[in-house]
Structure formats: structure tokens, C-alpha cells
Amino acid sequence: MRLSIPIGSVGDVDAGGLRYHDSVTGYGVEIGSPAERPALWRRYTEGALMVYRHYGVESALDYTSMRDGESTAMFLAVVDAQGAVVGGLRAQGPHALVDEVDGLGPWIGTEGEAALRSEIARCIADGIVEVKAVWSDRTDPRRSEIGALLARGIVHVARQLEARHAFVTTAIRGVERYESSGARQLTGIPGVVYPDERYVTVPLAWDLADQSTATPRQRRLIAGERQQLESGADSSVSDPGGAVSA
């Protein structure tokens, strides 16, 4: 089931925010705060709940706490040509204290806790945001490309929040997707079983001052999307090659 969003329709209470066009999928990307875009935020959260519930990991979403938007500084939603939300993510921060980072929770009491606390603390002075509730429509035929789009979107959201670093936790199978946009798995921190025994979760971080490990294609797409955001133009960098590969 898709979540229809009438972008710019009469009576739409949303206002403000940023947008750019993804040349790979042809979809629009909307960025804003829940206060700026309440209708879009509601549909993004409903989509997240649907996907997390399908996989039986609703507890990791913490939907009850997140849905009012108070803890979210900015979110990104991917909107297809029919006005349906097909993916998104949200960001908290920039954080001033290590214990503000929710993703630390699964490591508390484990051998990796001290090292993870140290890594987060090192990033605080230059700004660190935590990205959460990343999802894509599992029925969309371009789901892989949406995943790559979201990996790039983390870079854009961190930059918009004036943070040098972004932090995410993910199941091991998601690592390669995030690495494609410049994330690095934090070394010396063992993965943890979370949110249940089906998943081993690991921490990753981006340093926006060093995107050298991103794939060349993702770097080029990030640059083109950043140009759109800075110019305010809803246009795209040409990408004849199709889906992003790591």
C-alpha cells in the first residue's frame, strides 16, 4: 500500500522545507522539519510504521515517541510521480552529549560501550546528528535505488543541520549501502544482537570533511543534489547509468 501525498495541493497545510530531484529514480526528495511539513511528516511516519511492523521490528522504531515530531530536527521523504511516499529518514541533533544519542543504547553494558562512547564524544565538537527510521517501500521496483538515494540523503541532512558527522546503526546487510555514500564502520566496536536475534547491528559514521571512501558515482550524485539544494533549483544531474552500485 502506498501513502498518497498531494504535494502543493489546495488546502495543503505544509509550508517551507527544501526539495531536489533524484535523476536515478526520477522521484522527488523533500526535506524539512515536522513543524514545517506536518502532513508529509505524518505520511512518512505511517510508512515507517508499516515497514517496521512488516519485519517485526516495530520496537526499534519507537513510533509512539517519535510520531509527534518533537525529537526530530529534520526529515527526508522520497515522493514518487504519483505523490506516494516511498521512503525516508529522520535526524536528531546536533547532539551536545553522548547520552543523547539513542543508538548508543544497544551497546550499554557490552564490551563495545566505552569505545562507542569515545567515538561519539570525539565528534560532538564538530557536530553530530543521528539518523533513524530509515525505510523504503518494499514493493517499489526501484527499491535498491531508493536505498542509495537515502544513503546520499544522510549527507545532505547532516549538512543542512550544520553537522560535520552523521551516525547510524544498521544490520550488517545494510553496511555496504551506507559505505557507498562515505560512511565508515566504526572499528573496534563489536556488533550487537538488536533488535532481535535475527539481526547483528553495527555502528557507522560519516565525516563530511572526508568523503573519499564514497563511490565515485555516489560522490557525483551528491555533488549534483547539493547544487540543487544550494541553488533552490529543482533540477537534476544527468545519470544515464541507472542504479547505484557500490
Side-chain angles (χ1 to χ4, degrees):
M1 175 177 152
R2 297 288 181 89
L3 302 170
S4 180
I5 304 172
I7 299 295
S9 64
V10 175
D12 190 347
V13 297
D14 284 0
L18 300 166
R19 68 176 60 190
Y20 63 90
H21 178 79
D22 172 41
S23 62
V24 181
T25 61
Y27 296 162
V29 184
E30 306 275 339
I31 299 175
S33 70
E36 290 173 323
R37 309 298 307 273
L40 185 63
W41 167 253
R42 183 174 63 255
R43 289 160 176 81
Y44 155 75
T45 59
E46 290 169 353
L49 178 61
M50 186 183 304
V51 171
Y52 275 62
R53 182 174 285 165
H54 172 79
Y55 289 107
V57 292
E58 186 178 345
S59 62
L61 183 64
D62 196 14
Y63 179 76
T64 301
S65 296
M66 69 169 269
R67 65 180 177 177
D68 65 5
E70 291 296 320
S71 63
T72 298
M74 186 171 285
F75 76 104
L76 178 153
V78 184
V79 182
D80 72 9
Q82 287 71 48
V85 173
V86 293
L89 57 85
R90 71 184 189 96
Q92 298 182 167
H95 293 299
L97 300 170
V98 171
D99 285 317
E100 292 176 353
V101 177
D102 290 342
L104 175 65
W107 277 267
I108 291 177
T110 73
E111 61 178 299
E113 179 183 357
L116 183 53
R117 284 183 175 276
S118 178
E119 287 284 355
I120 296 170
R122 181 181 61 81
C123 297
I124 283 177
D126 293 318
I128 183 170
V129 297
E130 180 179 14
V131 174
K132 300 169 64 69
V134 183
W135 67 274
S136 60
D137 185 335
R138 60 190 179 84
T139 68
D140 193 287
R142 308 214 70 174
R143 188 181 185 195
S144 176
E145 293 93 330
I146 294 171
L149 182 166
L150 293 171
R152 299 192 302 274
I154 292 172
V155 175
H156 300 314
V157 167
R159 184 170 282 115
Q160 291 298 321
L161 291 171
E162 300 182 344
R164 175 175 168 177
H165 303 277
F167 173 79
V168 73
T169 63
T170 184
I172 286 177
R173 65 189 180 199
V175 168
E176 186 175 3
R177 177 176 66 247
Y178 292 130
E179 287 180 336
S180 76
S181 68
R184 294 174 173 88
Q185 187 173 340
L186 299 179
T187 59
I189 302 171
V192 294
V193 175
Y194 177 84
D196 62 37
E197 66 280 355
R198 295 173 295 167
Y199 303 93
V200 175
T201 293
V202 296
L204 294 94
W206 286 255
D207 182 347
L208 271 59
D210 180 6
Q211 290 280 280
S212 61
T213 61
T215 66
R217 190 168 181 207
Q218 287 282 66
R219 284 202 303 271
R220 180 171 61 79
L221 289 166
I222 288 169
E225 292 161 357
R226 182 180 179 184
Q227 185 176 23
Q228 289 187 62
L229 287 167
E230 291 179 347
S231 67
D234 188 10
S235 58
S236 65
V237 58
S238 176
D239 183 41
V244 172
S245 59

